[in-house]
């Protein structure tokens, strides 16, 4: 089998045999490209090389598929590697947050407006304060998968096609790439025995609430090892998932983040090296032949630069999250390093239709500690403003609050999009989201929150139960998102195959590729599936 190198002439195909032979000759490589001051790090010219910036869902996919193809690959990750400790003390917890929860910040944001003072540390959550919205990203080997809520739903076709351009091809994703991603992430539905456990009363209560509303919750898969959850329930592992602890990491190891599947598999190929604590600050084209030069700072736990490393490779895959991927490209364009990048880079930033609410004064018992990650999505297709969805999130609130309050994520369709722009005064990029409180997303989200309350509570004679709270003043509504998407959007700043307009051999594989939303669901699985398809097309086989 042969396949053409993307951007090269079909007359010069790369054979899989040649790739594998090249990889075998460099099995002990120290780095891809040239490391400053280290001549031994120069790889021989016996095969293609790649750099992946970022190690979240998209970066992990790229690393594995490149490694399997025999392409010598370096993954640059600005955060640290988090290994699950036997004493159950790897990550911070919601009840006792510390610097491990925040990327070099003086506070840990429980919401966008409530922060707890902590010591600065390379923790896993990076909150980008934009003009009009905050967007939260993951940092560490595993990227956003370390902090995501483990929700891995496939969107409905009609919702996907509402937001994605026509060439995105949902049917292809559903037939091949969503299942591939689910298998690698070990995603499965909540088992009946766990749902029946007393710690999961909140899950069962939510199901009954949705039934009282007049519908049935749609179950979906979660990237969770349920055997580890069973060990938590039995007291053999630290209570993490069963205590609703997800956003700061999972100390029991029950979360199937990509540092537990894709990335170890990539390293086992012998062709992939992951470099934690490497913060990229410069990208430019290679001068004598196609490819890129990337410079990064090796940083320590105080964010001090210990060394500057220069790498070069034939291919570059951007996977640093929608903001940071876009920021790096915008800065490179503004500073004249990548001047041929499309002017559309930075456009299409969206919050995935996210509208966070709390439901308070609940007459129904959700449990003093709500077993996670939550359960079941309700779709409502008969609202005046268009379809919406709502899903229950387990909430690690202290007793007695856990019994009487919980959170829900509402997602609505909204074509409001911001941008990521270069600020000449600061010399870096920023998020601009010119939609203040009361915007279309807010109005539709609030309307559904009120509608849900009326149907599930008020009409049943319970007007004081489940009162929705969604004010931005307390960090709810559309004030922030964990699902910031866009910036290098398909069919705008990049092709449908992930190639970035303006430069050969430059690809995007993370959430910046999505058009600001993925269709009324959490985006992790869609990002992973899109990255799988991009890599399949890049490598020329499926």
């Amino acid at each position: 089998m042969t396949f053409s190198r993307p951007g090269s002439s079909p007359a010069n195909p790369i054979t899989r045999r040649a790739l594998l032979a090249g990889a075998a000759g460099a099995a002990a490589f120290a780095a891809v490209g040239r490391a400053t001051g280290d001549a031994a790090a120069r790889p021989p010219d016996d095969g293609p090389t790649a750099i992946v910036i970022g190690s979240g869902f998209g970066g992990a996919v790229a690393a594995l598929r490149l490694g399997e193809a025999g392409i010598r690959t370096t993954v640059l990750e600005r955060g640290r590697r988090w290994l699950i400790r036997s004493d159950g003390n790897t990550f911070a917890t919601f009840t006792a947050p510390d610097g491990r929860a925040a990327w070099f910040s003086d506070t840990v944001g429980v919401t966008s407006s409530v922060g707890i003072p902590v010591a600065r540390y390379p923790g896993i959550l990076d909150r980008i304060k934009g003009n009009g919205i905050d967007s939260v990203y993951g940092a560490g080997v595993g990227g956003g998968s370390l902090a995501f809520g483990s929700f891995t739903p496939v969107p409905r076709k009609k919702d996907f096609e509402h937001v994605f351009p026509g060439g995105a091809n949902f049917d292809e994703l559903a037939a091949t790439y969503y299942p591939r991603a689910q298998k690698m992430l070990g995603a499965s539905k909540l088992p009946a025995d766990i749902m029946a456990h007393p710690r999961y009363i909140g899950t069962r209560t939510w199901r009954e609430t949705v039934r009282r509303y007049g519908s049935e919750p749609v179950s979906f898969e979660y990237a969770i090892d349920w055997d580890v959850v069973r060990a938590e329930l039995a007291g053999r592992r630290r209570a993490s998932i069963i205590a609703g602890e997800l956003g700061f990491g999972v100390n029991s190891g029950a979360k199937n983040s990509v540092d537990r599947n894709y990335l170890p598999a990539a390293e086992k190929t012998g062709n992939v090296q992951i470099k934690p604590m490497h913060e990229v600050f410069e990208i430019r084209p290679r001068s004598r032949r196609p490819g890129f030069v990337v410079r990064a700072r090796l940083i320590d736990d105080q964010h001090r630069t210990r060394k500057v490393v220069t790498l070069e490779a034939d291919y570059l895959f951007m996977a640093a999250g929608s903001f940071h991927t876009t920021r790096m490209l915008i800065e490179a364009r503004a500073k004249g390093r990548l001047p041929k990048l499309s002017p559309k880079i930075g456009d299409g930033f969206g919050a995935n239709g996210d509208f966070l609410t709390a439901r308070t004064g609940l007459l129904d018992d959700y449990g003093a500690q709500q077993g996670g990650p939550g359960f079941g999505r309700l779709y409502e297709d008969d609202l005046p403003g268009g379809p919406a969805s709502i899903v229950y999130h387990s909430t690690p609130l202290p007793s007695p609050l856990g019994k009487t309050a919980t959170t829900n994520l509402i997602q609505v369709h909204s074509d409001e999009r911001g941008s990521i722009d270069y600020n000449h005064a600061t010399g870096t990029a920023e998020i601009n989201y010119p939609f203040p409180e009361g915007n279309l997303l807010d109005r539709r989200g609030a309307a559904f929150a009120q509608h849900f309350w009326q149907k599930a509570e008020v009409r049943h004679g319970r007007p004081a139960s489940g009162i929705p709270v969604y004010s931005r003043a307390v960090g709810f509504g559309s004030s922030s998102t964990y699902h910031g998407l866009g910036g290098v959007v398909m069919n705008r700043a990049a092709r449908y195959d992930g190639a970035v307009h303006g430069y050969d051999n430059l690809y995007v594989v993370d959430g910046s590729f999505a058009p600001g939303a993925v269709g009324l669901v959490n985006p992790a699985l869609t990002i992973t599936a899109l990255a799988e398809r991009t890599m399949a097309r890049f490598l020329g086989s499926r």
Side-chain angles (χ1 to χ4, degrees), residues 6-50:
S8 68
S9 168
N12 296 296
I14 303 175
T15 66
R16 191 174 298 277
R17 180 179 300 173
L19 281 173
L20 294 173
F29 73 97
V32 171
R34 179 162 44 253
T36 301
D38 185 3
R42 301 179 184 179
D45 293 328
D46 54 6
T49 56

Side-chain angles (χ1 to χ4, degrees), residues 186-475:
S188 60
K189 293 185 178 182
L190 176 66
D193 64 307
I194 292 178
M195 187 170 180
H197 193 277
R199 292 296 287 268
Y200 280 77
I201 185 174
T203 298
R204 300 191 300 277
T205 298
W206 168 247
R207 181 182 59 188
E208 295 309 310
T209 302
V210 173
R211 288 173 175 171
R212 194 166 62 236
Y213 173 89
S215 188
E216 188 71 23
V218 177
S219 63
F220 53 85
E221 290 75 17
Y222 306 86
I224 287 178
D225 184 335
W226 298 111
D227 284 338
V228 177
V229 175
R230 292 184 179 98
E232 290 186 35
L233 292 169
R236 298 193 303 273
R237 294 285 186 96
R238 176 167 177 166
S240 301
I241 295 290
I242 65 172
E245 297 282 2
L246 283 152
F248 295 162
V250 173
N251 280 299
S252 69
K255 182 186 291 186
N256 291 333
S257 47
V258 297
D259 59 319
R260 304 176 67 79
N261 38 72
Y262 274 102
L263 292 174
E267 291 178 304
K268 285 181 181 178
T269 68
N271 300 315
V272 176
Q273 185 177 56
I274 299 172
K275 289 180 170 288
M277 302 295 281
H278 278 68
E279 193 170 44
V280 173
F281 67 91
E282 182 180 314
I283 302 169
R284 54 184 168 83
R286 198 157 50 184
S287 59
R288 296 182 180 178
R289 55 192 173 115
F292 296 89
V293 175
V294 175
R295 301 183 72 204
R297 299 181 185 89
L298 174 61
I299 59 174
D300 64 14
D301 287 354
Q302 284 74 50
H303 213 176
R304 297 173 298 200
T305 300
R306 292 304 190 187
K307 182 180 180 181
V308 172
V309 175
T310 302
L311 308 173
E312 63 178 82
D314 302 309
Y315 299 100
L316 177 60
F317 293 84
M318 301 299 297
S322 62
F323 174 73
H324 288 292
T325 282
T326 308
R327 173 187 62 79
M328 283 186 260
L329 294 178
I330 283 177
E331 290 176 2
R333 183 180 63 192
K335 295 174 182 179
R337 296 179 183 130
L338 295 175
K340 296 187 290 183
L341 286 173
S342 167
K344 294 181 180 179
I345 286 183
D347 294 349
F349 178 85
N352 198 41
D354 288 0
F355 186 83
L356 183 65
T357 71
R359 296 175 59 242
T360 60
L362 294 168
L363 294 178
D364 303 312
D365 186 1
Y366 273 75
Q369 283 190 305
Q370 300 171 20
F375 178 74
R377 186 175 302 274
L378 165 67
Y379 287 101
E380 177 55 79
D381 291 320
D382 295 325
L383 297 174
S389 72
I390 182 171
V391 67
Y392 158 61
H393 278 227
S394 60
T395 308
L397 295 172
S399 180
L401 291 178
K403 287 178 173 282
T404 60
T406 190
T407 57
N408 292 88
L409 180 63
I410 290 173
Q411 288 164 318
V412 300
H413 287 314
S414 168
D415 59 3
E416 293 168 329
R417 297 290 183 269
S419 58
I420 300 172
D421 307 294
Y422 186 73
N423 185 324
H424 290 272
T426 61
T428 188
E430 62 188 11
I431 298 173
N432 290 302
Y433 193 76
F435 306 104
E437 189 164 14
N439 59 44
L440 180 61
L441 192 161
D442 276 346
R443 296 196 302 273
R444 289 181 175 174
F448 184 36
Q450 291 290 334
H451 179 77
F452 185 87
W453 175 54
Q454 290 289 332
K455 285 192 67 175
E457 305 287 359
V458 175
R459 74 169 180 171
H460 295 280
R462 300 152 49 104
S465 178
I467 298 172
V469 175
Y470 42 78
S471 169
R472 283 191 176 194
V474 290

Side-chain angles (χ1 to χ4, degrees), residues 53-54 56-59 318-326 485-486 488 507-514 527-528 530-531:
I53 301 177
F57 291 105
M318 301 299 297
S322 62
F323 174 73
H324 288 292
T325 282
T326 308
L485 301 167
V488 194
Y507 289 81
V508 59
V509 290
D510 60 12
S512 64
F513 191 46
I527 293 170
T528 310
L530 288 170

